[in-house]
């Protein structure tokens, strides 16, 4: 069973930093623990979007638990930041990684640059209805390795205004 990220990234998958590759070499279940700094936008639109997607509240050092589970041709991710949980499902469609949060599915233009895996949003649909590019959030998200740890930095900005919705950055280690 080839990992989903290896299917999308092809030969470049092996160039990922070791901890990132280990995290995405998912054949059953991986569990991680770590800490994150979370910043939230304060505008009305940002707060509304963050609430809909169940993004975590602001916190200087939130304990984080991440569980990734492979079920057939999908990965189910559960993220818990200081007790607040949000989930998504990753799947490959037409050779592109997609991530579904409830009724919205995002297309991710995965690429590797400067020893980091990047996750920009390149498209979305609500149910079967495609969303216009103007309504796409801006996702500046990456995963890399520092000091022998899996490191993540995810910043999501609101469509149209570019206002911050949520920015979470931190590190994870495999749960033993």
């Amino acid at each position: 069973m080839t990992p989903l990220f290896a299917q999308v990234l092809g030969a470049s998958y092996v160039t990922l930093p070791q901890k990132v590759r280990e995290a995405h070499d998912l054949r059953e279940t991986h569990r991680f623990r770590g800490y994150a700094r979370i910043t939230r936008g304060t505008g009305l639109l940002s707060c509304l979007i963050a609430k809909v997607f169940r993004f975590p509240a602001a916190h200087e050092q939130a304990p984080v638990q991440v569980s990734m589970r492979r079920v057939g041709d999908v990965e189910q991710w559960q993220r818990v930041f200081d007790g607040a949980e949000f989930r998504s499902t990753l799947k490959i469609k037409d050779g592109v990684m997609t991530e579904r949060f409830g009724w919205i599915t995002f297309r991710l233009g995965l690429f590797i640059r400067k020893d980091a895996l990047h996750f920009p949003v390149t498209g979305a649909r609500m149910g079967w209805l495609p969303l216009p590019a103007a309504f796409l959030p801006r996702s500046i998200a990456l995963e890399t390795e520092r000091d022998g740890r899996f490191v993540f930095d995810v910043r999501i900005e609101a469509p149209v205004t570019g206002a911050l919705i949520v920015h979470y950055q931190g590190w994870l280690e495999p749960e033993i």
Side-chain angles (χ1 to χ4, degrees), residues 5-35:
F5 282 77
Q7 291 177 47
V8 171
L9 294 168
S12 66
Y13 180 74
V14 299
T15 68
L16 285 170
Q18 180 181 349
K19 296 298 180 183
V20 176
R21 197 173 55 250
E22 288 172 0
H24 292 297
D25 188 21
L26 187 59
R27 296 163 202 278
E28 290 184 15
T29 301
H30 289 175
R31 288 186 172 80
F32 301 91
R33 288 187 183 276
Y35 286 90

Side-chain angles (χ1 to χ4, degrees), residues 45-120:
L45 178 61
S46 295
C47 290
L48 177 63
I49 293 170
K51 185 173 180 91
V52 167
F53 286 94
R54 302 182 71 182
F55 289 135
H59 198 295
E60 280 300 311
Q61 193 172 16
V64 179
Q65 297 167 299
V66 175
S67 173
M68 303 169 172
R69 190 175 119 198
R70 176 81 181 255
V71 180
D73 64 348
V74 303
E75 291 183 8
Q76 299 170 336
W77 289 20
Q78 175 190 36
R79 303 161 186 89
V80 181
F81 290 82
D82 194 31
E85 174 187 328
F86 68 102
R87 296 173 180 253
S88 66
T89 301
L90 284 86
K91 182 176 184 173
I92 299 171
K93 181 170 174 140
D94 301 325
V96 176
M97 185 70 76
T98 65
E99 186 168 17
R100 183 174 50 84
F101 291 86
W103 35 271
I104 298 182
T105 301
F106 297 98
R107 267 193 337 267
L108 305 175
L110 298 179
F111 68 91
I112 301 168
R113 184 175 61 211
K114 296 183 181 177
D115 291 325
L117 176 59
H118 297 261
F119 290 72

Side-chain angles (χ1 to χ4, degrees), residues 45-46 49 55 121 135-140 154-167:
L45 178 61
S46 295
I49 293 170
F55 289 135
V121 170
F135 293 121
L136 296 179
R138 182 166 180 229
S139 171
I140 307 156
V154 178
R155 180 182 176 92
I156 301 171
E157 298 172 351
V160 183
T161 68
L164 175 67
I165 296 171
V166 67
H167 184 193

